[in-house]
Amino acid sequence: MEIKVVRRIMEANEQHAEVVRRRLREAGVIALNLISAPGSGKTSLIECAIRELKGKVNIGVIEGDPDTTRDAERIARLDVPVVQINTEGGCHLEATMVLRALDEIDLNALQLLFIENVGNLVCPVVFDLGESHRVAVVSAAEGHDKPAKYPALFRTAQVTVLNKVDLIPYLDFDESQFTADVRRLNPDMPILRVSCRTGEGMAEWVRWLEGLLNKEAVMQ
Ligand code: MG
Ligand code: ZN
C-alpha cells in the first residue's frame, strides 16, 4: 500500500515536470536546477552569474527554502525577478511548486531561470522539476567523499561545480579522489573549480552558462 502511494506522488511529479518543461520550451527559457548540501554556495553562484550576465541575458530566480526568505532577499537586491518557494520545513522542491512559482514570473521576458533547490543531497535528486539542466554544487569544505556517498546526484547532473577551492590548502580535501569519483559516475561531465569568494573560476562558470544560451539560440 505504501509503495502505491509513493508511486502516485512520483507520477504526479512527472506530469507536473512535463508541464514545466513545455512552458519553458515555449518561452525559450533555459532552467537550471541547483542541488547541493546547505552552505555550499548556491546563492553566491547565482549572484555571480547575475552580476556577470546583467544587461546581456535576462535572468529570473526561483528560491527554494524551508523557512526563511534570506536568499530571495539577496537575489532581489540585484534587481532581477525572484520568487520564493517556502517549503515550510520540506526538504526538497517538487514540480508542482515550480509550476505555481512560474505563474508569478513573466517567462517570455526571460532567457535563463535559476532554481535554487533546498540544501539537501538526497531527495531533490529524485524530483524532476522540469529543468533543462541539473547543476551539482559541492564545496571543498564538505569533503571529497560526496560523489561516492551521493552518487545519484552526480550521475544525473550535467555539470559539477566545486566551490570554495581557495580553502583547499587548509583542508584534507583529496581533489584527485573527488575528480576520479565524479568521472567514474559521469565520465563526460565538466567539473568547474570555482571560488565565489575570490572570483577564481567565475569566468568558466559564466562561459558554461553562455554556452547553453548559445545552443538554445541556434535551436530557436
Ligand atoms: Mg542559498
Ligand atoms: Zn525531501
Side-chain angles (χ1 to χ4, degrees):
M1 188 61 189
E2 211 171 295
I3 291 169
K4 264 189 199 158
V5 173
V6 169
R7 190 176 297 147
R8 226 171 282 144
I9 290 170
M10 296 314 292
E11 276 171 13
N13 190 73
E14 282 311 310
Q15 285 165 11
H16 290 133
E18 280 313 315
V19 179
V20 171
R21 222 183 307 280
R22 195 174 63 230
R23 286 180 61 177
L24 293 168
R25 197 172 346 132
E26 283 167 3
V29 175
I30 300 253
L32 303 179
N33 179 5
L34 276 75
I35 301 178
S36 81
S40 63
K42 294 185 296 301
T43 314
S44 299
L45 263 182
I46 295 170
E47 284 175 317
C48 186
I50 292 170
R51 283 199 200 97
E52 295 288 326
L53 294 170
K54 209 153 189 202
K56 291 192 275 182
V57 179
N58 294 326
I59 300 176
V61 182
I62 294 174
E63 277 291 337
D65 206 295
D67 222 14
T68 73
T69 56
R70 284 185 196 182
D71 288 353
E73 286 162 23
R74 276 170 64 181
I75 299 295
R77 266 178 235 136
L78 299 173
D79 211 23
V80 296
V82 54
V83 181
Q84 170 80 44
I85 298 174
N86 195 323
T87 61
E88 290 167 343
C91 48
H92 60 267
L93 292 182
E94 294 182 21
T96 171
M97 302 173 189
V98 173
L99 206 47
R100 256 178 276 143
L102 289 187
D103 289 336
E104 308 297 324
I105 299 179
D106 180 8
L107 270 189
N108 288 316
L110 297 186
Q111 291 150 292
L112 186 60
L113 177 67
F114 288 104
I115 304 170
E116 180 173 340
N117 217 310
V118 178
N120 173 353
L121 290 169
V122 184
C123 34
V125 178
V126 182
F127 288 87
D128 181 5
L129 302 182
E131 71 266 19
S132 332
H133 300 274
R134 192 173 268 200
V135 181
V137 186
V138 190
S139 83
E142 292 159 42
H144 54 259
D145 58 356
K146 292 299 162 292
K149 284 191 174 169
Y150 302 93
L153 171 58
F154 299 88
R155 245 183 238 125
T156 59
Q158 279 75 44
V159 65
T160 290
V161 180
L162 175 61
N163 190 20
K164 308 191 190 180
V165 292
D166 57 312
L167 297 181
I168 289 177
Y170 312 103
L171 302 167
D172 296 322
F173 182 83
D174 184 342
E175 190 169 349
S176 58
Q177 183 67 59
F178 175 85
T179 305
D181 286 341
V182 173
R183 290 265 171 270
R184 182 170 49 79
L185 294 164
N186 199 333
D188 301 321
M189 174 165 58
I191 302 172
L192 306 179
R193 304 175 78 259
V194 310
S195 166
C196 292
R197 205 172 65 88
T198 66
E200 183 179 346
M202 283 301 137
E204 284 74 23
W205 165 234
V206 169
R207 209 173 304 138
W208 185 81
L209 294 170
E210 285 175 331
L212 299 181
L213 293 162
N214 292 339
K215 223 179 284 166
E216 173 73 14
V218 170
M219 278 159 61
Q220 289 270 302

